[in-house]
Amino acid sequence: MHIMEGFLPAGHALAWTAVSAPFVFVGVARLRKVLRDRPEMRLTLAAAGAFAFVLSALKLPSVTGSCSHPTGTGLGAMVVGPAATTVLGTIVLLFQSLLLAHGGLTTLGANVFSMAVAGPWIAFGVWKLAGRLGAPVGLAVFLGAALGDLGTYVVTSAQLALAFPDEISGYGGAFAKFAGIFALTQIPLAIAEGLLTVVVMNALVGR
Amino acid sequence: MILEARSLVHAYAGGVEALSDLCLTVPRGQRLAILGPNGAGKTTLLMHLNGTLRPSAGQVLLDGQKVGYGRADLNRWRRRVGLVLQEPDDQLFAANVAEDVSFGPLNLGLPEAEAAQRVAEALESLRISHLADRPTHMLSFGQKKRVAIAGAVAMRPEVLLLDEPSAGLDAMGTAHLLAALDRLQAMGTTLVFTTHDVDLAWAWSDAVALFHQGRVIGQGTAEQILGDADTLAQVHLKPPFALALGLKARQMGWLDFDQDLPRSRADSLALLDRLGR
Amino acid sequence: MILEARSLVHAYAGGVEALSDLCLTVPRGQRLAILGPNGAGKTTLLMHLNGTLRPSAGQVLLDGQKVGYGRADLNRWRRRVGLVLQEPDDQLFAANVAEDVSFGPLNLGLPEAEAAQRVAEALESLRISHLADRPTHMLSFGQKKRVAIAGAVAMRPEVLLLDEPSAGLDAMGTAHLLAALDRLQAMGTTLVFTTHDVDLAWAWSDAVALFHQGRVIGQGTAEQILGDADTLAQVHLKPPFALALGLKARQMGWLDFDQDLPRSRADSLALLDRLGR
Amino acid sequence: MIEADRLAHVSRWRPLPLAEKSLLSLGLLILAMALPPWPGGALVLAAASASALRSGVPTVAWLRLLAAPSLFIVTGAATLLVQVGGDGFALAADGGAQAGALMLRALAAVSALLLLTVTTPMAALLHGLRRLGLPEELVEVTMTTYRFIFILLDTASAMHASQMARLGGQSWRTRIRSAGLLAAALLPRALDQARRLEVGLLARGYDGSLRTLAPAPAPRLRRLALIGGGLAALAGVGLWM
């Protein structure tokens, strides 16, 4: 759920950048500490980041007929943890906006918040919580990845609603509008991403 | 002709043509070598022959019929024409060998019992039945190659397209692989393979298509194409060693014109042996 | 001896020995081929020869001195002994060619100007100066191989270890690569390379070490080792074609014992030509 | 192959100093955000397009690059056409004007960003960020990520071709399964690639940091002034009209 370059008004773009910045700073600080102790992690992290980029280039079938792609944030949060996912996610979002014109520099802050902060933390939290509540491993993974994806989409809709409130019904109406339009593609996609993540985690455990 | 390419064009994003006006015919039951240097676009050509890529102009014909690119068309096409890529690691997905080979048969919608039958058959034809339960990541490179081929064979294709089948294999690995492919051909499978190795093409093909700068600049029997040193030189290739030696022997009168030319290293040494006597 | 391995043992986690009691000597200035089938552990051996791996028993000697495995020791060692892996993508990390080649010189602690000088020199010796600004991911496989070698050469090693240098290259790519390596040897670099290709070993080495099941089972001149068909057969290898032909010619009395054996395809055909006359 | 990346490497402007190119592109991006969409956005779009074409991007390629994000921009902007009231959906009174302005601003901003990426290879951009003080480690991870992306894209597309050849794209169910198996096979390949690269780099004296030479031509003040002047003029026209 990328917000395109120039789509948010300048004030919103700056505000979201300010909101995301601390998460990225904390992530980078932790990353630097890890890299001081284990320099070779540079290459491992780079491989994980590249994997996420390539995964997002993977076309997933969706029910509406249009093709969409997985966010990979749920998988990232489960494999390397949500904090590292924030940094890797930021790098991937930067490459997506520069190489594919998908997303943008002015909207990087907003996109980082929805896809590299909210998504991974929701996925991670749901996955852990479901596990603690006794859900089978597969179900916990599915719920984490699917809800992480849905969470991303809800946050993006909220970001758009804040920027473009409805003339009559205000923020609530605008949120309903954006959420409604994207629901067509995002709900099936969230399910697809959940299933995909289950397949990936199963295969990874099987190795 | 089981497969035919007519005036295929494949243009890259940058406007460079990987295939330009390429024509190729694949006779049923033969072993056809597509010979050319690296980076000439041979892999791209194979991908057009099973519909992985769609040409920007030109057509592919299967059994004389133009093929379509709809989902159902592609399915029918790929069922009949199998593709094995160069790097086996790019083609093995499941945790163990039998599971991996079953990927295709299950996608065909076969019931499990029949799929299992197909898997057993494919493993047997490649002589790797003993590997069935082995985890794929513990196989040697040569074994992986054979598993990748088994994955295609399990779909019982009429034509098997192989990208650089001997790449990365040592002499013994190559011999094992070619023996397995010989058995497939004996069962009626048409084999099309790419290679940059003139000696392999000479030792192991019935027909050769010479590939250069996105075109087939000559197609014929192995002897016609590989014996033509001038045309080969255009493509920066030299005639196969055994063939050059055989032609020299004919020229010297050591070998009659109705006698077969040596194909392999063993043939060549046998020829020299006869000379000595 | 610039390099020597004494009774090296390398045990895998599973308890399998990849190297067992391996001995090898590398004479200065020569081209030494380490010949053996795939999966025999040749790559593991190369990694021991520049300290990337540490043996569980045995020693490596550099210029007759035992080497240590401390950081400073390793640095000195790797400065003198360069390693080029088979797969260039395993060694190229930077976004463009000149940047990548500068990595080694900068690690040596050279000032930027001198590092730039080394880069230019290394690119020139591999004849790839025109690729300096090219992005790594847009190179052909053969170009990547040469860039990877340039990356090692820029550190001006006395010994260059090359893992399967011709793997994946076509005839022309191999010729270019070998010509570049010839130039390096002429400048004094000792070359050690692994291969499973007997013809390459015969055409392009001064000395051969025959590798089998984790040991060197024979080391000597190319003719001593490659002419010994019985020992080669133990390793499932056959004598090189040109050598077999040359020996046959000697045996028949067509080639005098003081005349050189043919090394390459061209030599062999020239020999036949002389016979004809 | 990624189109914008390829164009950057063959661009006529590739050798130009990064500061000059980024002043122009990012300056245009800021103007796109700051000026009223009409006529400011239109002016930025025109300036960015003219510059891109001048730098050697073929017209068709430029339009194709702009087209992909436009699709997303249009869907997003379309929501402004309707409003939600007590009695359901209705056409917004000035929705058309609002949506048009939004599309123009976004398109202008996208074109400014694309101008940077089709004239500047990623390595030069990252070296620039390093000079601006981005932590060394982050630059190195990002740079290596960039390198790995192309290796993994090749691997993933070969994997995809092989799955399709074995009818892995037959139905929705097989496609999900294929995509999952592909991702699962790709991740260990990626991590393995990282480990092998580590061995390869150790042999070249890798000590934990990935320093390389990064020659950067110095910007020329006269040209910076010229670009600044151009941007100011554009801003003036945008505000005055």
Side-chain angles (χ1 to χ4, degrees):
Chain A
M1 284 307 300
H2 296 73
I3 301 180
M4 303 307 291
E5 182 68 283
F7 209 81
L8 293 179
H12 286 256
L14 286 174
W16 285 112
T17 305
V19 170
S20 293
F23 290 95
V24 177
F25 279 129
V26 170
V28 169
R30 286 190 51 177
L31 190 86
R32 294 181 76 174
K33 199 167 151 308
V34 170
L35 289 180
R36 250 196 308 280
D37 301 335
R38 300 168 59 197
E40 75 285 355
M41 282 293 286
R42 277 173 175 74
L43 302 177
T44 310
L45 288 170
F51 169 75
F53 181 93
V54 172
L55 193 70
S56 77
L58 202 72
K59 294 277 182 279
L60 263 195
S62 76
V63 174
T64 51
S66 72
C67 268
S68 208
H69 64 76
T71 61
T73 53
L75 183 64
M78 293 175 211
V79 176
V80 297
T85 304
T86 298
V87 181
L88 290 182
T90 305
I91 293 176
V92 170
L93 285 167
L94 182 73
F95 279 132
Q96 285 173 332
S97 53
L98 290 176
L99 294 174
L100 308 174
H102 201 53
L105 293 184
T106 62
T107 52
L108 188 63
N111 287 329
V112 164
F113 185 75
S114 70
M115 271 175 287
V117 176
W121 280 105
I122 293 171
F124 188 76
V126 170
W127 175 56
K128 284 281 175 202
L129 185 70
R132 200 158 300 160
L133 293 178
V137 180
L139 182 64
V141 170
F142 173 80
L143 288 176
L147 293 179
D149 186 300
L150 273 183
T152 294
Y153 133 78
V154 170
V155 171
T156 308
S157 301
Q159 287 171 329
L160 289 172
L162 284 175
F164 305 104
D166 195 88
E167 295 271 315
I168 301 170
S169 46
Y171 297 116
F175 177 76
K177 268 193 318 194
F178 285 110
I181 284 184
F182 295 129
L184 289 175
T185 54
Q186 279 302 311
I187 290 177
L189 188 60
I191 294 171
E193 170 137 22
L195 292 173
L196 176 95
T197 310
V198 173
V199 178
V200 178
M201 292 291 279
N202 277 343
L204 287 180
V205 171
R207 266 160 211 278
Chain B
M1 292 306 138
I2 175 116
L3 257 180
E4 196 178 338
R6 280 202 194 145
S7 306
L8 284 194
V9 176
H10 179 88
Y12 276 131
V16 194
E17 287 191 347
L19 304 181
S20 55
D21 205 23
L22 178 141
C23 297
L24 178 84
T25 54
V26 180
R28 193 185 289 272
Q30 289 209 353
R31 286 188 295 216
L32 172 68
I34 298 175
L35 176 70
N38 285 347
K42 303 193 295 291
T43 307
T44 308
L45 171 58
L46 286 193
M47 291 192 163
H48 278 282
L49 293 180
N50 92 327
T52 303
L53 294 174
R54 193 177 176 159
S56 21
Q59 284 133 26
V60 177
L61 285 80
L62 183 59
D63 244 345
Q65 305 280 314
K66 276 189 207 171
V67 291
Y69 290 82
R71 181 163 291 169
D73 296 311
L74 282 176
N75 267 340
R76 238 171 301 142
W77 186 358
R78 288 172 182 163
R79 215 174 269 221
R80 300 181 61 187
V81 181
L83 171 67
V84 180
L85 298 175
Q86 178 173 341
E87 185 52 62
D89 279 328
D90 294 347
Q91 301 172 79
L92 306 180
F93 300 98
N96 78 44
V97 170
E99 213 178 288
D100 196 277
V101 176
S102 73
F103 181 79
L106 290 178
N107 286 336
L108 282 176
L110 297 176
E112 296 220 347
E114 202 179 330
Q117 171 61 29
R118 289 279 190 102
V119 171
E121 213 180 272
L123 293 178
E124 181 47 35
S125 70
L126 274 293
R127 301 285 189 272
I128 47 173
S129 302
H130 59 289
L131 300 179
D133 295 328
R134 205 70 83 69
T136 38
H137 66 267
M138 284 174 74
L139 302 174
S140 74
F141 183 80
Q143 290 171 330
K144 281 184 189 168
K145 277 232 165 179
R146 280 188 279 165
V147 173
I149 296 175
V153 165
M155 304 181 70
R156 292 207 193 130
E158 296 165 47
V159 185
L160 199 54
L161 310 170
L162 301 133
D163 196 16
E164 299 275 357
S166 70
L169 292 176
D170 57 20
M172 202 165 61
T174 305
H176 280 232
L177 186 81
L178 297 187
L181 293 175
D182 279 336
R183 286 191 295 277
L184 291 178
Q185 195 197 10
M187 296 190 290
T189 314
T190 303
L191 301 173
V192 179
F193 68 102
T194 63
T195 185
H196 60 251
D197 180 348
V198 286
D199 295 307
L200 177 70
W202 174 241
W204 198 72
S205 69
D206 304 310
V208 174
L210 192 60
F211 194 94
H212 183 51
Q213 296 186 337
R215 288 164 201 267
V216 168
I217 59 168
Q219 185 176 353
T221 65
E223 189 175 337
Q224 282 166 353
I225 301 296
L226 298 171
D228 179 356
D230 294 339
T231 310
L232 285 178
Q234 278 179 30
V235 194
H236 306 291
L237 291 174
K238 286 182 182 140
F241 201 179
L243 176 58
L245 191 139
L247 290 177
K248 189 136 283 182
R250 271 195 186 162
Q251 188 191 328
M252 308 280 187
W254 302 334
L255 187 70
D256 286 341
F257 274 83
D258 56 353
Q259 282 181 299
D260 281 342
L261 288 166
R263 286 260 170 173
S264 62
R265 140 188 333 235
D267 290 352
S268 311
L269 292 175
L271 170 66
L272 289 177
D273 251 346
R274 263 184 301 158
L275 285 189
R277 269 187 245 117
Chain C
M1 290 307 138
I2 174 116
L3 257 179
E4 195 177 340
R6 281 200 193 147
S7 305
L8 281 196
V9 175
H10 179 88
Y12 275 133
V16 194
E17 287 191 348
L19 303 181
S20 55
D21 204 23
L22 178 140
C23 297
L24 179 83
T25 53
V26 180
R28 193 184 288 275
Q30 289 208 352
R31 284 188 295 217
L32 171 68
I34 299 175
L35 176 70
N38 285 349
K42 303 193 294 293
T43 307
T44 309
L45 171 57
L46 288 193
M47 290 188 172
H48 277 284
L49 293 181
N50 93 328
T52 304
L53 294 174
R54 193 177 174 157
S56 20
Q59 285 132 25
V60 177
L61 284 80
L62 183 57
D63 243 344
Q65 305 280 314
K66 276 188 206 172
V67 291
Y69 289 82
R71 175 166 287 198
D73 296 311
L74 282 176
N75 265 341
R76 237 170 304 142
W77 187 357
R78 289 176 183 155
R79 204 174 281 217
R80 301 182 58 186
V81 181
L83 171 66
V84 180
L85 299 176
Q86 176 174 342
E87 187 53 61
D89 278 334
D90 295 348
Q91 238 164 344
L92 305 180
F93 72 99
N96 82 39
V97 170
E99 281 176 28
D100 199 280
V101 176
S102 74
F103 177 70
L106 289 178
N107 284 335
L108 291 178
L110 297 176
E112 299 216 344
E114 201 178 331
Q117 171 61 28
R118 290 278 190 103
V119 171
E121 214 178 272
L123 293 179
E124 181 48 35
S125 71
L126 274 295
R127 302 283 189 272
I128 48 171
S129 303
H130 59 291
L131 300 179
D133 291 328
R134 207 67 83 71
T136 317
H137 63 269
M138 286 171 80
L139 301 174
S140 75
F141 183 80
Q143 291 171 330
K144 279 186 192 170
K145 277 233 164 177
R146 279 189 278 166
V147 173
I149 297 175
V153 167
M155 302 176 73
R156 291 207 192 132
E158 296 165 48
V159 185
L160 198 54
L161 310 170
L162 301 132
D163 197 16
E164 298 276 358
S166 70
L169 293 177
D170 57 19
M172 203 166 61
T174 306
H176 280 233
L177 187 80
L178 297 186
L181 293 175
D182 279 335
R183 286 192 295 275
L184 291 179
Q185 195 196 10
M187 294 190 290
T189 314
T190 303
L191 301 173
V192 180
F193 68 103
T194 64
T195 185
H196 60 251
D197 180 347
V198 286
D199 294 307
L200 176 71
W202 174 242
W204 199 72
S205 69
D206 304 310
V208 174
L210 193 59
F211 194 94
H212 184 49
Q213 296 187 335
R215 287 163 203 267
V216 168
I217 60 168
Q219 185 175 354
T221 65
E223 189 175 339
Q224 281 165 355
I225 302 295
L226 298 170
D228 178 357
D230 295 339
T231 311
L232 284 178
Q234 279 180 31
V235 194
H236 306 291
L237 291 175
K238 286 184 183 137
F241 201 1
L243 175 59
L245 191 139
L247 291 177
K248 189 138 282 178
R250 271 194 186 163
Q251 188 192 327
M252 308 283 186
W254 300 334
L255 187 69
D256 287 339
F257 275 82
D258 56 354
Q259 281 181 299
D260 281 343
L261 289 164
R263 286 260 169 170
S264 63
R265 142 188 329 236
D267 290 352
S268 312
L269 292 175
L271 170 66
L272 289 178
D273 251 349
R274 263 185 300 159
L275 286 189
R277 268 187 247 116
Chain D
M1 189 78 85
I2 296 171
E3 178 81 344
D5 179 74
R6 192 188 63 76
L7 288 168
H9 291 295
V10 298
S11 170
R12 278 203 290 267
W13 285 11
R14 184 178 59 86
L16 295 185
L18 176 63
E20 294 174 12
K21 288 183 285 189
S22 42
L23 176 64
L24 176 60
S25 314
L26 299 179
L28 285 173
L29 181 57
I30 290 168
L31 289 187
M33 298 300 291
L35 291 178
W38 181 260
L43 287 173
V44 168
L45 180 58
S49 300
S51 309
L53 299 185
R54 217 181 132 66
S55 77
V57 180
T59 315
V60 184
W62 180 249
L63 291 178
R64 217 178 14 233
L65 284 174
L66 281 174
S70 300
L71 204 71
F72 290 92
I73 293 173
V74 170
T75 355
T79 48
L80 299 189
L81 292 177
V82 293
Q83 53 186 216
V84 194
D87 43 354
F89 291 96
L91 272 183
D94 55 352
Q98 271 194 22
L102 176 56
M103 285 194 291
L104 199 52
R105 184 180 72 203
L107 203 59
V110 165
S111 69
L113 177 65
L114 275 172
L115 174 62
L116 183 64
T117 55
V118 297
T119 55
T120 317
M122 196 58 70
L125 275 179
L126 292 174
H127 287 308
L129 288 175
R130 185 202 310 250
R131 288 194 296 273
L132 284 179
L134 199 69
E136 199 76 6
E137 296 93 332
L138 202 58
V139 174
E140 290 174 358
V141 170
T142 311
M143 194 82 87
T144 322
T145 304
Y146 174 72
R147 169 88 184 98
F148 278 146
I149 281 175
F150 293 91
I151 297 178
L152 291 186
L153 271 179
D154 280 350
T155 307
S157 73
M159 286 177 161
H160 183 74
S162 119
Q163 287 183 328
M164 293 306 119
R166 290 160 75 189
L167 301 183
Q170 185 98 303
S171 63
W172 192 78
R173 206 184 58 82
T174 57
R175 282 199 298 281
I176 286 281
R177 181 157 174 272
S178 294
L181 288 176
L182 194 156
L186 193 62
L187 182 54
R189 282 284 292 275
L191 299 176
D192 200 44
Q193 178 74 45
R195 253 168 281 137
R196 282 183 289 135
L197 184 63
E198 192 196 333
V199 170
L201 293 184
L202 277 176
R204 299 170 63 189
Y206 178 46
D207 57 3
S209 94
L210 295 166
R211 276 161 308 148
T212 65
L213 286 181
R220 293 152 292 183
L221 278 179
R222 203 174 56 84
R223 295 196 45 141
L224 287 177
L226 214 65
I227 294 167
L231 290 170
L234 202 110
V237 174
L239 288 171
W240 170 75
M241 269 178 75

